[in-house]
Amino acid sequence: QMQLVESGGGLVQPGGSLRLSCAASGNIFKIGTMGWHRRAPGKQREEVAFITNGGTPHYIDSVADSVKGRFAVSRDDAKNTVYLQMSSLKPEDTAVYYCHFYYTDSPTSLLRECWGQGIQVTVSS
């Protein structure tokens, strides 16, 4: 079974930057798509971005306009880690951010998924 540990969140002033990291460990054969979701106060969780196992980033249409040019998703397969670089942060980016992985734990296993525990990002002066 996979475990995910997120780091890098916290309190930042508007216009500031943060880099979230999410590292996987455990019984892993291969990791597929890695992604980030967020849940803002009083709102439903929404997908923000994902990156394929080929390294192609995607930003979800519903949030793309708000994060375009400010957020960048990347991955380091050697470290089983996905990153979300966030810059020019705005108060509306305040949310709990969750990482999400698809993976297999053997050559013949079905595709599995795993969620991080969530990490708070607060943008406020």
Side-chain angles (χ1 to χ4, degrees):
Q1 192 171 2
M2 174 186 278
Q3 295 82 42
L4 296 176
V5 177
E6 297 159 341
S7 60
L11 173 64
V12 64
Q13 292 187 340
S17 299
L18 285 173
R19 189 176 80 154
L20 303 183
S21 300
C22 177
S25 63
N27 186 22
I28 303 167
F29 174 70
K30 187 173 182 179
I31 298 175
T33 299
M34 303 174 176
W36 291 95
H37 294 63
R38 68 184 180 186
R39 178 176 287 159
K43 295 186 177 181
Q44 290 188 329
R45 186 163 60 187
E46 62 181 358
E47 188 173 16
V48 176
F50 64 90
I51 184 164
T52 68
N53 57 0
T56 302
H58 296 268
Y59 302 92
I60 307 308
D61 288 345
S62 60
V63 300
D65 286 343
S66 68
V67 304
K68 185 177 180 180
R70 300 191 301 119
F71 287 15
V73 61
S74 61
R75 63 191 284 163
D76 184 336
D77 290 327
K79 297 181 179 179
N80 290 340
T81 298
V82 66
Y83 304 97
L84 186 67
Q85 178 69 48
M86 305 184 292
S87 58
S88 301
L89 282 162
K90 305 175 181 179
E92 51 264 42
D93 295 318
T94 295
V96 178
Y97 285 73
Y98 300 86
C99 57
H100 177 245
F101 284 26
Y102 287 102
Y103 74 103
T104 56
D105 57 13
S106 78
T108 57
S109 77
L110 297 174
L111 193 63
R112 300 178 185 275
E113 58 182 320
C114 185
W115 289 89
Q117 78 282 4
I119 190 164
Q120 180 69 47
V121 170
T122 302
V123 184
S124 175
S125 56

